[in-house]
Amino acid sequence: MDNVKVIASNIDELTFINCNINQFIMQDCLAKNLRFQQGELRASHWQRCLIEGMVLEKTQIAQMRISDVQLANWVALSLPATDFTVSGGKFKDASWFASRIEQGRWQQVEIHRLAMSQCELEDVVWQDISGGHAVWNQCELNQVVLSGLSLPGSSFYRSRLTHCDLCGSNLAHGVFTRSQLSDCQLSGANLTACMADNAQFVRCNFVGATMATAQMAGCSLQHCRVSGCDLSQADLRAADVSTTPLHEAAQTAGVRLHGATLGPAEQTVVKEEPVLTTVDAWYQYYQPGIPSDSPLSSQVLPGGSRNV
């Protein structure tokens, strides 16, 4: 189908299966339960619509424009999308799974409860986004811009971020557990009380960031910049910070570095914790707990409290 226009219509329970649609325009419509399955949707423009329930499954999307649309309960499954632009409007309860987005632009959109799992995002920009509860779990983000946004509690669990920009964003209580961030910009970001246990940060810029009370046990900071950063009360036990100059951080009061791998210049930052030092000495002498040849032994962090 070519040059399809749907104007000021009321649509309910409409499904397209194995359909190739070119130049699809939908304006001023009220729609419920739309479904596009195993087809193509090219050069489409959605404008000033109210949509309740839409599924895009294994549909190739190219040159999609969504303007001032209110969309609730959107599901995307195995969706390849290129040149995807959203401006204005409101999105609620959107779920993406095993999808790929290239060249995406989201501007001045209110987003509530966005969840992406096992998705790939490349060259995607978010600007002036409001709302909350964004999740990227086990995703790959390359050249994604999320700077200057309010994203408290957002999750990047086991995700891989490369050349991403998160400067100045509010990521307090965010989740980066077991994530991998390479060449990312986080200067001025609020990472207060974030969870980054066993995460890997490589050549990341944390200049001026706030990381107070961050939980980063077992993480790795390789060649990162932390000048002017607030690391007060941060938990870096058993972390590898041998190539990151923690002494350049503005605040290191109460930072926990028991069992961490440090560089020569960081010895002045370390304050021994007498209780954990005593516990480690006791464990070293009596060797209780999981045998060293057990597959689970690598999951036991040094620094006391292993069985307590």
Side-chain angles (χ1 to χ4, degrees):
M1 293 181 282
D2 293 324
N3 195 21
V4 177
K5 295 182 179 180
V6 184
I7 310 296
S9 300
N10 191 346
I11 302 170
D12 191 5
E13 301 286 351
L14 176 61
T15 301
F16 296 91
I17 301 176
N18 291 325
C19 295
N20 295 336
I21 307 174
N22 187 40
Q23 294 184 341
F24 179 82
I25 296 176
M26 188 172 180
Q27 295 179 352
D28 303 306
C29 291
L30 178 63
K32 184 178 180 181
N33 296 329
L34 290 177
R35 188 180 187 95
F36 296 84
Q37 183 176 356
Q38 296 180 342
E40 295 183 7
L41 188 60
R42 299 183 177 275
S44 62
H45 189 187
W46 308 64
Q47 189 174 14
R48 298 183 304 273
C49 296
L50 179 60
I51 304 174
E52 174 70 30
M54 184 165 75
V55 176
L56 298 170
E57 182 180 359
K58 297 181 180 179
T59 301
Q60 295 186 12
I61 302 294
Q63 297 178 336
M64 175 177 276
R65 304 287 184 269
I66 300 178
S67 306
D68 300 316
V69 170
Q70 295 192 41
L71 175 57
N73 299 316
W74 183 9
V75 178
L77 302 171
S78 302
L79 182 74
T82 305
D83 193 2
F84 189 97
T85 301
V86 182
S87 60
K90 183 184 296 184
F91 281 48
K92 289 185 178 180
D93 300 303
S95 299
W96 298 69
F97 180 76
S99 298
R100 177 177 175 82
I101 304 175
E102 295 184 55
Q103 300 176 356
R105 297 292 183 272
W106 298 60
Q107 297 178 328
Q108 298 179 340
V109 186
E110 185 177 343
I111 301 176
H112 295 275
R113 296 176 298 277
L114 169 72
M116 290 189 173
S117 180
Q118 300 181 28
C119 293
E120 298 179 17
L121 283 72
E122 184 168 356
D123 189 17
V124 174
V125 178
W126 276 23
Q127 293 179 332
D128 299 324
I129 304 297
S130 60
H133 298 94
V135 173
W136 295 272
N137 281 353
Q138 301 183 58
C139 294
E140 293 200 14
L141 285 68
N142 185 25
Q143 298 181 16
V144 173
V145 177
L146 301 171
S147 59
L149 300 179
S150 180
L151 297 168
S154 297
S155 175
F156 296 87
Y157 175 73
R158 296 190 68 176
S159 292
R160 180 177 299 174
L161 286 72
T162 307
H163 295 288
C164 293
D165 187 352
L166 299 158
C167 292
S169 291
N170 181 8
L171 296 163
H173 300 278
V175 178
F176 293 88
T177 303
R178 298 186 180 276
S179 296
Q180 299 180 23
L181 282 75
S182 302
D183 301 292
C184 291
Q185 300 295 323
L186 296 109
S187 60
N190 181 5
L191 294 161
T192 303
C194 72
M195 299 178 62
D197 294 340
N198 299 299
Q200 296 182 15
F201 300 94
V202 180
R203 296 180 300 277
C204 291
N205 181 8
F206 292 98
V207 173
T210 301
M211 304 173 70
T213 68
Q215 302 297 313
M216 305 175 68
C219 77
S220 174
L221 293 169
Q222 301 177 24
H223 304 286
C224 294
R225 298 169 57 191
V226 294
S227 59
C229 182
D230 183 359
L231 285 167
S232 56
Q233 306 297 324
D235 186 353
L236 288 164
R237 287 176 300 158
D240 183 356
V241 291
S242 57
T243 58
T244 295
L246 294 185
H247 62 279
E248 295 182 0
Q251 296 290 336
T252 57
V255 60
R256 305 189 68 183
L257 289 164
H258 190 80
T261 304
L262 304 171
E266 311 310 319
Q267 301 302 325
T268 57
V269 181
V270 179
K271 292 184 178 180
E272 293 294 338
E273 300 181 57
V275 173
L276 296 185
T277 302
T278 303
V279 171
D280 272 353
W282 187 89
Y283 273 93
Q284 184 176 6
Y285 182 80
Y286 290 102
Q287 297 293 325
I290 300 173
S292 59
D293 57 350
S294 170
L296 298 176
S297 62
S298 61
Q299 300 179 16
V300 179
L301 293 177
S305 300
R306 280 170 279 214
N307 293 330
V308 183

